[in-house]
Structure formats: C-alpha cells, structure tokens
Amino acid sequence: MTVITDAPNSLAGLLRPEVLAISAYHVQPATGFIKLDAMENPYQWPEAMQAEWLDVLKGVGVNRYPDPGAEALRSALRRANDLPDSVDLMLGNGSDELIQIILMAVKPDTTVLAPHPTFVMYRQIAASLGLKFVGVDLQEADFSLDMDAMREAIAVQQPGVIFLAYPNNPTGNAFARKDVLEILSMAKGLVILDEAYAPFADDSFMGDLSQFPNLLVMRTLSKWGLAGLRLGYMAGNPAWIAELDKVRLPYNINILTQVTAEFALSKQAVLQGQIESLRRDRAILFDQLSALPVQVFASQANFITFRLMDREADAVFEGLKQGGVLIKNLSPSGGALRQCLRVTVGTPEENQRFIEVLSSLLQS
Ligand SMILES: *Cc1c(COP(=O)(O)O)cnc(C)c1O
C-alpha cells in the first residue's frame, strides 16, 4: 500500500524536470467527422492495386526481423528521388523519429532554432531532451522569414541545429529560396530542411545537398498518402548520416512498412495522380475561401490556413464541428496565429461540405 501511495512523488523525483514540464502531444478525436485536420491524403488505393498489395503481403515472414538497413527500400527511395551517390539516406519511423534522432545525437548544451510558428515537434522533442529551443517570429503579414531577426538570432544564439519546414506547417507558405540559402551559408551547425510537403511544393533543396555539407533534407511518405505506415527519410552528407545512424534503433522500420512502401513506390503514378488532383482542388478551395470574408494565405502544402476577420475562430471551429467537419483551430496558439484556422485539402465533396458550412457560419 505504502509503495502505491508514494508512487507519484517518487516518480516526480525520478523524472527530469523538463519531462514533467511539457504536455503530451494532443490529437483531437475525429470519429464521425469529415476529417480535414491532419494533412492526410483522403484517397484509398484502387481495388486492383489493393489486391496486388495483399498478395505481396502474403509472402512476408513476420516471424523474422526486418532488414535492419532496409536496403531494398532505401534503393527504391534513392531512385524515386534521383539521389546522386555523393548523398546518403537514412530512414525513420516517420520523420518525427528522425528529428528525435538528430536531437539525441547533439551535445546537451546545443541550442535548437526554428522560425515561429512552425511544426511543434521541433520544440517538443528539444524540450523533452532538455535542449534550449529558440523560436524566431515570422513576419506577421505573410509568414515570410524575418531575415533581420534570423541573422541576429543566429549570430547571438549560435544554434547547433536549425529546422526550416519547407513549406512551413501550419502556415503553408514556402520561404524565399534566397533567404534559405543565406541561412545555409551563415549557419555554423546543421540546417534541416523539412520537406514534408514536397509533393505539393514547387521547389526543393534536394538538389542543393552537394553544395552545403551542413544541409540535411528530410521527407516523409505521410503527406504523400501513407500516413499510417510511418516512414520518413533524410538525405545528406554521408559523414553526417553515418554518425546519426548510430543513434537509430535497429529494425526501426518494420517489415510491413518496408514492403508496403516499396510496393507503393513501384506504383508511383497512382499516388502522383492523387497528388495532382489534390493540387487542383487546393486551387479551387483557395478561390472559394478568397470569396469569403477571411484572409487566406497562399499555400504550397496540402492545407490552407486562413484568418477570420469579424468572427471568433473558436466559435467558427465549433460551428464547423457541429456541421460535421473537423479542421484545426490554430487560434489557441496565439501570436500571429490568433483567429487562424487550418483546413486540409480533402476530396471535392469534402471540400464542398466544408465551404458550405463555413459560408453559412460567416453569413449568420
Ligand atoms: C506532418 C509533418 C511531419 C511529420 O511527419 P511524419 O513522417 O508523419 O512523422 C514533419 N514535419 C512537418 C513540417 C510536418 O508537417
């Protein structure tokens, strides 16, 4: 009995204060909603392709450990991304795991820097590991990089790791190429270009890897259409990849993911067709939102962020939920995201329903 009553106290004494201080990453319940909150691809595979996939899975021996280096999948990803031999590739259980691996490998006094607002896992993982995190505010008007502030923060803070989500989540814009190049030249430490939304973007830094030895480019299959598989990958200088790979757990990519991702890459045309539909529907959704009394931000991702003008974001978010549509309320984060909502591009029918409910809320 005594042991149980004492447990919470002894637990608190056992844990690092930074672990006690952070809150768990929260995912809102989505059952029963039109789900436009998490940047998922809304499309399933065609039936014939599903049948072919299940045939492939039949041959998989789950009694054996997977290939620890996932060599076949890595080769397929190299081909798909046209990577030169001078660049190495490392796989993660989602790119979230790659962020964690990078931050576990650096010295405890390393400062991690990223623009703000951006993908929350950079801060979350840095905090969980006790690393100092510095967020540099983006320009409030269009969420572009505030280069004066970035130059100063890099000079003063001397960050060992800089994360740039390109395009940025939750704002949707891609930063100016010349600004990113300046940061790459200026930074003394690692710069990670997180290209999670590459399938929906017009530009990439994959082609710049050979020029910048401190550059790592991270991608994921999640937004491409395989969020359930959990597969991220990171390309970069082989010397960096070799060191970081020591921190990676063996067998971090399970056998079903290895086999399925390889299969999906052999059917790239199908996935690419879905991506093209989503890009077209993003343009339609952008025009429809622009016709409403909201401020819409240009997006190179599979979501659109917009700011309410004369309505409370919290109320509109709840109204959408009551209309059966789940999006993301960014407003509670405050700052430049006050009164902002983020909607993922879904199927044409889902987008239509979202626009209908939103229009009626803004008119009432
Ligand atoms: C969604 C997202 C990720 C997470 O990718 P996973 O591979 O699913 O872990 C990483 N970075 C950014 C910017 C994202 O928006």
Side-chain angles (χ1 to χ4, degrees):
M1 275 324 267
T2 334
V3 176
I4 292 167
T5 344
D6 278 288
N9 290 332
S10 56
L11 265 182
L14 192 65
L15 296 174
R16 284 182 283 117
E18 52 268 26
V19 173
L20 292 168
I22 57 177
S23 4
Y25 184 79
H26 175 69
V27 178
Q28 53 187 349
T31 315
F33 289 107
I34 292 176
K35 195 173 183 311
L36 302 178
D37 66 324
M39 283 79 91
E40 292 145 334
N41 174 337
Y43 298 110
Q44 299 263 345
W45 292 348
E47 245 169 71
M49 183 169 153
Q50 287 196 23
E52 206 180 321
W53 171 50
L54 291 175
D55 264 350
V56 173
L57 289 184
K58 271 187 203 151
V60 170
V62 286
N63 53 318
R64 302 291 181 197
Y65 282 106
D67 173 357
E71 298 304 338
L73 175 56
R74 281 205 302 154
S75 304
L77 283 167
R78 294 189 76 98
R79 280 195 304 276
N81 287 283
D82 231 346
L83 291 183
D85 289 341
S86 57
V87 164
D88 220 338
L89 197 62
M90 174 175 175
L91 309 188
N93 189 356
S95 36
D96 288 350
E97 189 191 35
L98 293 168
I99 300 167
Q100 189 180 47
I101 287 172
I102 296 164
L103 296 184
M104 284 195 299
V106 297
K107 289 184 182 164
D109 63 353
T110 300
T111 296
V112 180
L113 184 143
H116 176 82
T118 191
F119 187 49
V120 293
M121 292 312 288
Y122 311 141
R123 180 191 290 270
Q124 175 87 1
I125 294 172
S128 76
L129 293 167
L131 300 173
K132 179 177 174 189
F133 181 90
V134 175
V136 180
D137 283 344
L138 295 170
Q139 313 258 24
E140 209 162 320
D142 61 357
F143 296 123
S144 60
L145 286 165
D146 180 343
M147 284 307 287
D148 285 339
M150 285 299 282
R151 280 184 208 106
E152 179 173 338
I154 291 170
V156 173
Q157 304 285 348
Q158 297 285 316
V161 180
I162 298 175
F163 285 102
L164 296 173
Y166 183 93
N168 191 36
N169 173 12
T171 58
N173 59 313
F175 303 131
R177 169 167 270 273
K178 72 165 176 32
D179 290 348
V180 175
L181 289 176
E182 188 183 337
I183 292 169
L184 276 165
S185 310
M186 195 171 17
K188 304 259 186 339
L190 276 177
V191 180
I192 293 100
L193 264 286
D194 179 351
E195 297 190 348
Y197 299 96
F200 307 94
D202 299 333
D203 196 8
S204 161
F205 284 84
M206 275 290 187
D208 299 79
L209 280 166
S210 54
Q211 214 173 328
F212 296 99
N214 61 337
L215 169 63
L216 295 170
V217 177
M218 202 163 69
R219 289 203 178 168
T220 173
L221 296 192
S222 294
K223 306 334 175 343
W224 190 54
L226 302 170
L229 277 192
R230 310 303 301 131
L231 185 74
Y233 56 102
M234 183 161 67
N237 185 329
W240 276 113
I241 298 288
E243 291 304 322
L244 295 172
D245 200 49
K246 297 177 189 169
V247 179
R248 183 181 62 84
L249 293 174
Y251 316 120
N252 64 327
I253 311 301
N254 74 73
I255 197 160
L256 297 178
T257 297
Q258 290 192 25
V259 169
T260 305
E262 224 194 309
F263 172 78
L265 287 167
S266 77
K267 306 280 180 197
Q268 263 194 83
V270 173
L271 277 289
Q272 218 41 49
Q274 298 176 346
I275 300 291
E276 267 146 41
S277 300
L278 290 166
R279 288 178 71 132
R280 274 196 303 273
D281 293 331
R282 174 180 69 192
I284 295 169
L285 190 58
F286 184 90
D287 289 344
Q288 289 174 320
L289 277 167
S290 302
L292 297 173
V294 299
Q295 182 187 2
V296 194
F297 296 98
S299 170
Q300 290 202 31
N302 62 342
F303 62 85
I304 297 177
T305 293
F306 56 99
R307 190 180 279 142
L308 281 291
M309 320 266 259
D310 53 5
R311 289 290 199 285
E312 284 299 315
D314 293 358
V316 172
F317 171 73
E318 286 304 326
L320 281 161
K321 267 175 89 168
Q322 266 155 35
V325 182
L326 185 70
I327 64 168
K328 173 79 176 177
N329 184 6
L330 302 171
S331 197
S333 316
L337 294 178
R338 223 173 307 119
Q339 305 303 358
C340 286
L341 299 174
R342 182 192 72 193
V343 61
T344 302
V345 181
T347 64
E349 298 73 29
E350 291 172 331
N351 302 338
Q352 205 46 48
R353 175 70 188 156
F354 159 73
I355 286 291
E356 278 164 19
V357 180
L358 180 65
S359 308
S360 74
L361 288 166
L362 296 180
Q363 274 154 23
S364 60

